[in-house]
Amino acid sequence: MSATAEAPVAPRVPGWRKALGKARSNPTTLVGAVICLVILAAAILAPWIAPHDPAEQDIISRLAPPGGDYPLGTDQFGRDILSRLLWGARISLTVSLGAIAVACVIGGSIGMVSGYIGGRFDLFVMQVMDVLLSFPSLILGLIVVALLGPDLVNLVVAIALTAIAPFARIARAPTLALKERAFVEAGHALGYSHLRIIFRHILPNILPEVMVMASLWMATAVRVEASLSFIGLGVKPPTPTWGGMTRDGFENILDSPWLAVFPGMAILLLVLGLNMVGDGLRDATDPKLRNE
Amino acid sequence: MIWFVAKRLLAAVPTLLAVLTVVFIIVRIVPGDPALVILGDQATAEAAAALRTRLGLDQPMWVQYWTFVSNALTGNFGASLVTGRPILEEVGAVLPHTIDLTLASMVLGVVVGVPVGIWAALHRNGAIDVAARLLSLLGLSFPVFVSGIYLLLLFGLYWRLFPVIGNADLSDFGDRLHKVVLPAVALGLTMAAYITRVTRSAMLHSLGEDYIRTARAKGVPWRRVVWVHGLRNASLPVVTVVGLYVGILIGNSVLTEIVFNRPGLGKIIVGALNQRDYAMLQGLMVIYCFLIVVVNLVTDLLYGVMDPRVKQA
């Protein structure tokens, strides 16, 4: 924690500025941020920048190699790969952002409340989280999506479910320490409600840790979504998803390897970009590393 | 030591029970009638009723729960809805393939990850360290099906060094080895990346400790200081990560088996998904969770072996 956290009143986002400044000066983080922003822009601008309709089928140029009218070639239905990649970015980002937002809010609240209340309640809640952690995440996601049916909302639910426990843990640990601090005691003395103390005074202090965790888990969420789509449990066709495109491409790998290579590359780039950002943020906010 | 082991074993029992309960709940929160989900919408009422009886779904909830838990704890994970064979038997038939793959990738991960991690830690912030960090970040970011497909394209189709289909003859060791190389590299890549990072940071931490300075002051050769004094103390976090990684490894092995068309648990899962074999899925989930609980237990016990202080805690 930074020195300002010693103040009797809840400090506002301690070390945030400093951390951001440090992250900015780290080339890895910068490159990662650029990759993520480019993909985000591609997803938002897809309707305007995509050269073709992602569902438009050009039967004459089926499985066309990259070049000419189709910069990255076409798939087995004669659909433009580039356009489908641009539109597919939307699914990847929507599902992973949604899942991490849900996991962050639910897991974070569970962790804070559990740590704040403490005692047997805390022990029980953490035991439940440990049980959730003992499920292999892809298998859990796979079974939940298989049971609920593959659509966007269920994918968000399934991936969020696999990420709640880690968020609860990351939010709980600092809460345990913070609730003993003077500013929390001051809050009690002023007659603030527990909820107000948790969300107005403890939350801003643990936010950096939770946000770093969120950026690292975004990468995992993108990978899990792509993996589920690759298995055939993604958002249903004809909606383009990167994992689904890789799967389709894989079926034609002997004649048209680019079909699997390009969507795979897109997934790799996004995951790499997110990991680079998350890594840089973690180095910047980690109190053990910050003073070096 | 015996007391330590017994305590850990006892602590795993509630976790196992809780895991079973969660699996039970997950399978039962499916909207709609499971019998209809399994048989499809066109099923007749009689067929659905017959299946409900067969699955015990007509019993009260607590009876179902009791049957499920007691069966699972005695090693009875039910039978496949499609083939009718016991799930354990189906799993046992392909298990050697999955074990080959996961073991090979773990060995690869440790053999590559530990030395590279140490090397990077010894050259902190130098070119080697930066390269190791960037490469491990790249390795971590590769979804295993993407690295699998790329490896397959390069070494299987382009250079034709390794077979494309991974159905090995179990009685032929050379064949098993030959066919496990590519999938193990795909699967081991992420593992090696994880281990590199953890080894690096654990070594950095351990090399900064007083006992390292003492060892050097005593005149212990530097090589021995690093590999014995340093690594021994850095091994705890590494073992932790390898233990935690098993959950990811399981998921990734499913994807690897699909890409390389290897027989194994992954193919069983995908088959069960396609055929809506929910009994099989439930059984597999229980088996996987048991496996993870066991791995956690082994990790805990290893702590005790490696660091005697843990036993007293």
Side-chain angles (χ1 to χ4, degrees):
Chain A
M1 286 298 109
S2 69
T4 46
E6 296 300 329
V9 216
R12 296 239 157 259
V13 263
W16 230 168
R17 282 252 168 82
K18 204 169 153 191
L20 267 184
K22 187 162 179 185
R24 257 203 298 264
S25 63
N26 176 346
T28 317
T29 321
L30 267 183
V31 174
V34 170
I35 296 176
C36 295
L37 286 177
V38 167
I39 294 176
L40 181 66
I44 294 172
L45 300 175
W48 295 281
I49 58 172
H52 296 271
D53 185 294
E56 179 192 294
Q57 303 187 359
D58 182 351
I59 296 301
I60 302 164
S61 24
R62 284 173 64 233
L63 297 173
D69 207 11
Y70 301 101
L72 299 181
T74 61
D75 65 5
Q76 71 272 35
F77 297 111
R79 294 175 298 194
D80 179 37
I81 297 295
L82 176 62
S83 307
R84 291 178 63 73
L85 279 184
L86 291 171
W87 280 85
R90 297 189 150 199
I91 300 293
S92 279
L93 288 173
T94 315
V95 171
S96 45
L97 272 174
I100 295 309
V102 170
C104 197
V105 170
I106 297 182
S109 307
I110 291 177
M112 278 194 300
V113 171
S114 175
Y116 185 80
I117 294 176
R120 281 202 183 154
F121 178 77
D122 183 38
L123 273 181
F124 174 75
V125 171
M126 284 302 122
Q127 199 75 59
V128 173
M129 292 297 127
D130 277 351
V131 170
L132 264 185
L133 275 178
S134 58
F135 285 82
S137 57
L138 185 71
I139 309 291
L140 181 61
L142 189 140
I143 284 168
V144 171
V145 177
L147 293 174
L148 296 179
D151 66 30
L152 204 124
V153 175
N154 292 342
L155 274 170
V156 169
V157 171
I159 298 175
L161 198 61
T162 65
I164 283 179
F167 277 100
R169 281 190 151 186
I170 201 86
R172 171 180 171 267
T175 306
L176 283 178
L178 283 167
K179 72 172 179 184
E180 310 293 337
R181 298 285 278 270
F183 68 84
V184 170
E185 216 171 296
H188 287 307
L190 287 168
Y192 289 167
S193 72
H194 292 303
L195 278 183
R196 178 170 174 166
I197 291 177
I198 291 178
F199 288 98
R200 292 282 303 277
H201 300 272
I202 290 182
L203 179 62
N205 282 291
I206 68 166
L207 213 49
E209 274 103 328
V210 175
M211 293 316 285
V212 170
M213 183 83 169
S215 64
L216 284 169
W217 270 83
M218 263 296 285
T220 306
V222 169
R223 214 176 41 214
V224 173
E225 188 273 332
S227 304
L228 289 174
S229 303
F230 181 75
I231 295 176
L233 289 171
V235 177
K236 281 208 175 100
T239 312
T241 62
W242 289 350
M245 289 171 73
T246 314
R247 169 198 173 86
D248 291 346
F250 187 53
E251 280 160 17
N252 293 294
I253 196 156
L254 288 173
D255 337 295
S256 333
W258 61 87
L259 285 182
V261 169
F262 292 129
M265 194 86 74
I267 304 166
L268 173 63
L269 264 181
L270 180 54
V271 177
L272 181 64
L274 289 167
N275 271 334
M276 286 166 111
V277 171
D279 229 41
L281 282 180
R282 192 187 43 201
D283 285 354
T285 47
D286 190 334
K288 270 179 286 177
L289 299 169
R290 202 193 287 151
N291 297 327
E292 281 168 15
Chain B
M1 191 65 195
I2 292 169
W3 181 231
F4 175 70
V5 173
K7 224 162 60 177
R8 291 297 141 125
L9 275 174
L10 220 60
V13 173
T15 319
L16 273 183
L17 276 179
V19 162
L20 287 175
T21 310
V22 173
V23 173
F24 182 83
I25 294 170
I26 287 181
V27 175
R28 266 140 195 97
I29 48 168
V30 189
D33 182 347
L36 284 182
V37 172
I38 293 164
L39 292 171
D41 297 335
Q42 278 88 39
T44 59
E46 293 85 57
L51 184 64
R52 268 196 292 273
T53 317
R54 201 180 119 204
L55 297 179
L57 292 172
D58 49 353
Q59 304 283 326
M61 206 48 98
W62 64 269
V63 175
Q64 289 185 38
Y65 178 70
W66 177 247
T67 319
F68 172 68
V69 171
S70 53
N71 277 345
L73 288 180
T74 50
N76 175 3
F77 301 103
S80 158
L81 290 177
V82 177
T83 63
R85 290 170 58 195
I87 287 169
L88 264 185
E89 200 178 294
E90 301 248 349
V91 168
V94 295
L95 203 58
H97 296 280
T98 301
I99 291 178
D100 276 359
L101 175 64
T102 37
L103 274 186
S105 71
M106 276 180 117
V107 169
L108 201 78
V110 173
V111 167
V112 174
V114 171
V116 174
I118 293 178
W119 202 27
L122 291 178
H123 297 86
R124 187 174 195 193
N125 292 331
I128 290 167
D129 186 27
V130 171
R133 266 153 72 188
L134 287 179
L135 281 180
S136 64
L137 207 56
L138 184 68
L140 275 186
S141 305
F142 255 111
V144 70
F145 63 95
V146 176
S147 50
I149 289 175
Y150 286 6
L151 287 169
L152 199 63
L153 271 173
L154 273 182
F155 296 98
L157 295 172
Y158 190 70
W159 283 317
R160 300 190 179 270
L161 291 175
F162 293 101
V164 175
I165 303 286
N167 196 350
D169 176 5
L170 283 179
S171 57
D172 180 353
F173 181 76
D175 189 41
R176 278 166 88 165
L177 198 64
H178 190 44
K179 283 175 174 152
V180 88
V181 173
L182 274 192
V185 171
L187 192 54
L189 183 72
T190 328
M191 180 114 200
Y194 264 107
I195 294 183
T196 302
R197 287 162 65 101
V198 182
T199 307
R200 177 187 173 270
S201 68
M203 274 306 274
L204 280 178
H205 191 258
S206 135
L207 289 177
E209 296 284 342
D210 291 342
Y211 49 76
I212 294 292
R213 207 180 41 210
T214 310
R216 295 193 71 182
K218 281 196 311 189
V220 179
W222 180 230
R223 187 182 287 268
R224 196 180 147 77
V225 171
V226 171
W227 285 90
V228 177
H229 299 243
L231 188 60
R232 166 110 199 218
N233 284 287
S235 55
L236 221 56
V238 178
V239 168
T240 310
V241 161
V242 174
L244 285 176
Y245 187 76
V246 165
I248 304 173
L249 192 66
I250 285 174
N252 279 347
S253 70
V254 171
L255 293 164
T256 314
E257 284 171 358
I258 298 173
V259 170
F260 290 94
N261 204 7
R262 280 177 67 89
L265 291 185
K267 282 201 103 177
I268 295 195
I269 284 204
V270 176
L273 279 175
N274 291 336
Q275 294 169 318
R276 298 175 161 266
D277 190 342
Y278 289 98
M280 189 64 145
L281 285 179
Q282 176 179 297
L284 284 173
M285 189 143 80
V286 173
I287 291 174
Y288 274 139
C289 292
F290 271 36
L291 197 69
I292 290 194
V293 171
V294 170
V295 169
N296 286 342
L297 197 68
V298 172
T299 321
D300 264 5
L301 295 180
L302 268 181
Y303 286 170
V305 175
M306 291 186 327
D307 188 345
R309 283 170 298 185
V310 173
K311 266 186 284 186
Q312 283 140 27

